[in-house]
Amino acid sequence: EQDPKFVYYLSAEFLMGRSLLNTIYNLGLKDQFSDSLQALGYDLEQLVEEERDAALGNGGLGRLAACFLDSIATLSLPGWGYGIRYRYGMFKQ
């Protein structure tokens, strides 16, 4: 607390994958969200399949970067992840 440190992580790739279901689980809202969707006539599993992958990486380094950021968040460490902003996804330039 006297001399706090802050992590800055720079990567050209972040292979985060799809995030909707993971976010819903992390917020503890899966059942509530699913019930609300059903009331509107939608199915959570079908909705999750519609989410597009961000296409920000192709493997090892991208997955490692995503794991580092996930660990930073899980441990409540102060930090930011920086990357290159691809306009159409990494392989659609």
Side-chain angles (χ1 to χ4, degrees):
E1 292 182 17
Q2 294 277 346
D3 184 23
K5 306 293 187 231
F6 199 90
V7 176
Y8 297 95
Y9 190 83
L10 174 64
S11 178
E13 299 181 19
F14 286 101
L15 192 58
M16 304 303 284
R18 298 174 179 177
S19 62
L20 177 62
L21 194 57
N22 189 39
T23 301
I24 293 168
Y25 277 123
N26 289 341
L27 292 171
L29 297 173
K30 195 237 179 212
D31 293 334
Q32 196 175 7
F33 194 83
S34 182
D35 292 345
S36 296
L37 282 174
Q38 283 184 332
L40 295 170
Y42 295 98
D43 178 62
L44 176 59
E45 302 309 318
Q46 287 179 330
L47 179 66
V48 167
E49 289 301 316
E50 294 297 321
E51 181 181 8
R52 293 178 56 204
D53 193 297
L56 301 177
N58 66 347
L61 293 178
R63 188 65 234 143
L64 179 63
C67 289
F68 280 149
L69 292 182
D70 192 44
S71 295
I72 288 170
T74 299
L75 296 172
S76 297
L77 298 175
W80 288 99
Y82 293 96
I84 297 170
R85 182 176 181 202
Y86 295 102
R87 186 170 181 181
Y88 301 110
M90 188 171 194
F91 301 107
K92 295 182 182 178
Q93 295 301 312

